[in-house]
Amino acid sequence: MSIDILFELQQETRRLFIAGSAMAAGDLRLTKLLPRLRNLGESAPVFKRLADATDELLAAEREESAAKLLELGTLLSAVLYTQGRTETAGESQPVQGAGVGLKTDTTYRKLNPLILALTTKGQGRLEQIRASFEDGSFLDLRALQAVCSALDDSYAEIPDYVQEKLIPAFGSDAVPVLRSQLNLQGGKGDGRRLQLLHRQLGRSMIDLVAEAAVDGSPEVKIAAVSILGEYPEQESLVLQLSREKRKEVRSAAYFSLAKLGTAAALQRLYEAAVSKDRELAVDPIRASASSELMGRMIRFGEDASERYLSGEGSDKSEAAEQIRTAISCLEGSGRQMAAETYSFLRKLLSSEAFLVQETETTQEAAADLLLELDWPEADRFAIELGDAGRGSFLGHGFRAAFRQMPPADVYHRYAGFLSKGKSKAAKELLGAIRSLAAYQTRGDEERDGAGVVPEAAWDPRWVQLFIRLDLPELVCLFAQRADRDVTDYLTGKLQNAKANDWHVYDILLALFRIRYREAPELLMGHLEKGAGRHLYYLNWQHKRLIASMPKAYAPRLRAFAEQAAYESVRNELFSIIEALEEKPDDAAEEGGRGLWGWIRNKMS
């Protein structure tokens, strides 16, 4: 029996359900179907009944049309359900399941944004993925396929995040999907899949990893080679791969050799370091942390030094590059080879023939390594180099003296160099002071307020010297108390500063920190002059300063906040001001870190 006419009739009844039953009277489309239904009704009673129902609908009055349409639709649906076929041709075959035990509790409305972020292009996708990771909604069976496929995403940060965060959270449940997607001739995403599978399956993957290292695409081969370093029995294969034509593969092989740490592996790393592959070999040699290999690199550097001193032309240039390679390989070794490294560096930096403009980069690297040794003899030699009048070593000598000498002696020895204006020695020394001060105050600023160097570590005369040299950023870092010279200098800088000068807030923070009595009024005056028009957001300095204000300034701060150009800034300001108003009276006496900590806890 043909059911085509039944589908046509269903389409027309559905149209009338939407349009309204009142439109059925005399409907032309139903009228055209009626003769065909009558013809079929002569051999099948069900078609005769459908024809009668259609005829009754066409002739029904407006009041009866709804009931007649419903009667026809019900009868038609019943007939169609009895005519369908659901079986599939062929024999039944067993299906092997993956054994994935993930749940599907997350509503699809919540899951869908993650799936779209993983499978489409556009902005904001990484933020959505991070949000789904943080609330745990990504751990759903329906998301697993999309998560694993995202390893191929063209936006590099997404595959990185998926590899580091999402897939490890799935654990072994991700293995079947990763296996099904893995293509040894694929791209970088397949290299990631191989690494993730190895993380879950370990040694059982070694045959597949070895196959990928030999026959895989370049991206997959690199991933496979990086895994082989965990298996000593694969040493011969890694050695073979370290001579591959593609340098990315050789680089991965060198890192695996460093992991293996065998005699043959270290020998191959040494061969690479003394060849044209030296740039690729430096980081793997550092990673190996082998005293034997470090010793060989020191001897190689010493031999290169001899060749540099006796060579000419291209031979001399090649020897200089070899010296640089030896020093680079030794970086990070610290005290491990201190005595041998110091001997090599002392000979090198004591040679007048080496201390020329062409080798300045290598000289600086050697001096940096000298300080890295953290060894008294090396520090004393660094001080001697600085005292020899070579501006390039003055900063290194200062850092060494800072470790070895009392603060007063350091000041006496080095302060005079800063009076030499814009000389190279003065620039080197200022750079060293700034670097050391930044290291000492690192982490203090955003967490606890304005940074300040440890008072006991520096001679108090430094701050006076920085005032004379007009170095406001260093005065802010070194000011320990509200001395007249300090406050006069800093307030004078404020008077001449523009509203958007970068150092204004550093100066104000320093004044608050040293408890300068007029600091609140100076800040309020600065804000009321129009600084609010330049506030596009509040950084830690703004928040720290406003939170440090006395409670009595709350009304003026509110008036300032109302003038802020951006609503987000206004809201943040009001939040800080409200916390300020609730500040206990005795909190104002704490000042500094205790006060700021109270305000932040109140706002959180």
Side-chain angles (χ1 to χ4, degrees):
M1 176 191 306
S2 173
I3 63 171
D4 291 344
I5 191 172
L6 297 180
F7 287 121
E8 292 182 47
L9 183 59
Q10 183 187 43
Q11 182 177 348
E12 300 308 326
T13 56
R14 185 177 297 164
R15 174 176 58 82
L16 291 172
F17 273 117
I18 296 171
S21 61
M23 307 294 294
D27 184 82
L28 291 177
R29 295 182 183 180
L30 283 179
T31 302
K32 289 181 179 180
L33 288 176
L34 188 58
R36 294 167 60 191
L37 291 171
R38 293 290 185 194
N39 289 335
L40 291 171
E42 295 176 0
S43 58
V46 68
F47 281 98
K48 183 178 183 304
R49 182 68 189 91
L50 286 170
D52 291 342
T54 303
D55 195 14
E56 292 173 4
L57 175 61
L58 289 169
E61 297 293 335
R62 186 182 186 89
E63 295 78 9
E64 299 177 353
S65 61
K68 295 299 183 181
L69 178 59
L70 184 60
E71 181 181 340
L72 173 59
T74 303
L75 176 62
L76 178 60
S77 296
V79 173
L80 284 171
Y81 277 120
T82 62
Q83 301 304 311
R85 297 175 63 85
T86 59
E87 68 271 12
T88 302
E91 298 182 2
S92 298
Q93 298 291 335
V95 176
Q96 183 175 0
V100 176
L102 291 171
K103 297 180 180 180
T104 55
D105 295 339
T106 305
T107 62
Y108 194 73
R109 175 176 293 182
K110 188 173 184 179
L111 191 64
N112 188 51
L114 169 65
I115 295 176
L116 288 176
L118 292 167
T119 57
T120 61
K121 304 296 181 184
Q123 297 180 343
R125 295 188 297 138
L126 182 58
E127 289 72 17
Q128 176 60 56
I129 295 169
R130 283 176 175 159
S132 298
F133 174 75
E134 290 169 3
D135 64 24
S137 60
F138 74 101
L139 285 171
D140 190 289
L141 177 62
R142 294 164 292 175
L144 180 56
Q145 186 79 23
V147 168
C148 294
S149 296
L151 293 169
D152 297 313
D153 199 282
S154 58
Y155 181 48
E157 290 189 40
I158 288 180
D160 287 343
Y161 193 80
V162 168
Q163 182 178 7
E164 294 170 10
K165 300 289 187 181
L166 271 65
I167 294 181
F170 280 105
S172 60
D173 287 330
V175 169
V177 179
L178 292 171
R179 276 188 178 277
S180 66
Q181 293 181 351
L182 178 63
N183 175 14
L184 296 187
Q185 300 304 316
K188 191 173 182 179
D190 291 288
R192 296 177 186 272
R193 291 184 181 91
L194 188 67
Q195 290 174 327
L196 287 164
L197 284 168
H198 177 259
R199 185 186 301 183
Q200 288 295 324
L201 303 177
R203 183 173 286 275
S204 64
M205 287 280 296
I206 190 59
D207 290 340
L208 181 62
V209 170
E211 178 187 349
V214 175
D215 298 323
S217 65
E219 292 82 0
V220 176
K221 179 176 288 192
I222 291 167
V225 172
S226 67
I227 295 171
L228 292 177
E230 300 179 24
Y231 300 97
E233 67 272 16
Q234 300 296 325
E235 178 191 71
S236 60
L237 177 57
V238 180
L239 288 169
Q240 175 186 337
L241 292 166
S242 72
R243 302 182 187 279
E244 277 266 337
K245 184 176 181 180
R246 187 180 291 269
K247 73 174 185 178
E248 293 84 0
V249 177
R250 297 200 307 276
S251 178
Y254 293 148
F255 277 105
S256 284
L257 290 172
K259 289 181 187 177
L260 291 173
T262 62
L266 297 178
Q267 173 61 27
R268 180 68 188 102
L269 287 176
Y270 178 78
E271 292 173 1
V274 301
S275 70
K276 293 182 179 180
D277 258 3
R278 52 182 166 236
E279 291 185 5
L280 298 180
V282 167
D283 287 336
I285 289 175
R286 291 178 188 165
S288 73
S290 166
S291 298
E292 177 188 349
L293 186 53
M294 295 294 180
R296 294 187 69 181
M297 293 310 303
I298 291 171
R299 292 190 290 276
F300 172 68
E302 291 172 337
D303 292 342
S305 300
E306 296 295 331
R307 290 194 298 275
Y308 177 85
L309 296 176
S310 61
E312 294 181 357
S314 60
D315 292 340
K316 195 178 188 74
S317 299
E318 174 65 17
E321 288 295 325
Q322 292 173 342
I323 295 170
R324 183 71 178 91
T325 298
I327 292 172
S328 297
C329 290
L330 294 169
E331 290 173 3
S333 60
R335 287 176 172 261
Q336 181 180 356
M337 301 290 293
E340 296 88 340
T341 303
Y342 168 65
S343 177
F344 162 51
L345 295 176
R346 185 178 182 91
K347 291 177 184 177
L348 184 67
L349 296 175
S350 298
S351 171
E352 291 293 330
F354 180 74
L355 301 180
V356 293
Q357 185 177 357
E358 290 75 11
T359 63
E360 279 188 353
T361 303
T362 305
Q363 292 174 42
E364 184 174 356
D368 287 340
L369 181 57
L370 194 67
L371 291 181
E372 184 189 306
L373 300 180
D374 193 16
W375 207 45
E377 288 187 43
D379 285 342
R380 285 193 290 271
F381 179 57
I383 295 170
E384 291 175 14
L385 287 172
D387 288 347
R390 296 184 179 276
S392 57
F393 295 127
L394 187 62
H396 296 87
F398 172 80
R399 288 193 288 269
F402 193 88
R403 289 196 295 218
Q404 298 295 327
M405 297 180 178
D409 291 349
V410 174
Y411 180 83
H412 178 74
R413 192 177 195 115
Y414 291 96
F417 287 100
L418 293 183
S419 63
K420 297 179 180 179
K422 297 182 179 180
S423 67
K424 184 175 182 180
K427 291 179 181 178
E428 287 288 333
L429 182 56
L430 272 179
I433 292 173
R434 287 190 174 105
S435 176
L436 185 55
Y439 174 79
Q440 291 175 339
T441 58
R442 187 178 301 154
D444 284 348
E445 295 180 353
E446 189 159 358
R447 186 174 64 250
D448 297 316
V452 58
V453 297
E455 185 173 9
W458 295 83
D459 188 280
R461 290 172 290 179
W462 283 109
V463 71
Q464 299 295 331
L465 177 58
F466 297 145
I467 290 173
R468 293 196 299 272
L469 296 172
D470 194 20
L471 299 170
E473 76 280 9
L474 289 178
V475 174
C476 290
L477 288 176
F478 281 75
Q480 301 290 346
R481 53 189 56 83
D483 295 333
R484 181 67 177 272
D485 291 341
V486 172
T487 56
D488 285 351
Y489 174 77
L490 293 179
T491 54
K493 283 293 177 183
L494 281 180
Q495 290 176 0
N496 299 322
K498 296 180 181 179
N500 58 347
D501 279 356
W502 63 269
H503 62 268
V504 165
Y505 294 106
D506 287 336
I507 292 174
L508 286 167
L509 282 166
L511 290 171
F512 270 94
R513 176 174 50 76
I514 63 179
R515 303 294 188 89
Y516 180 55
R517 184 174 55 185
E518 301 298 326
E521 189 60 34
L522 288 172
L523 172 62
M524 199 70 249
H526 175 72
L527 295 175
E528 290 173 341
K529 283 181 182 178
R533 293 194 298 271
H534 301 281
L535 285 181
Y536 304 108
Y537 68 97
L538 291 185
N539 61 26
W540 71 268
Q541 294 169 309
H542 302 132
K543 297 174 185 177
R544 174 72 173 85
L545 283 167
I546 295 171
S548 300
M549 292 289 278
K551 293 172 65 172
Y553 281 84
R556 291 173 66 181
L557 287 170
R558 281 191 173 276
F560 162 73
E562 290 170 357
Q563 300 301 317
Y566 292 89
E567 182 179 0
S568 60
V569 174
R570 288 197 298 273
N571 292 336
E572 280 195 274
L573 285 170
F574 285 136
S575 177
I576 299 173
I577 294 167
E578 289 170 3
L580 180 66
E581 290 171 333
E582 298 179 24
K583 181 174 60 177
D585 292 336
D586 58 353
E589 299 301 322
E590 296 180 23
R593 299 182 179 185
L595 176 58
W596 178 228
W598 187 92
I599 291 286
R600 285 191 305 175
N601 289 336
K602 187 67 178 176
M603 292 171 57
S604 60

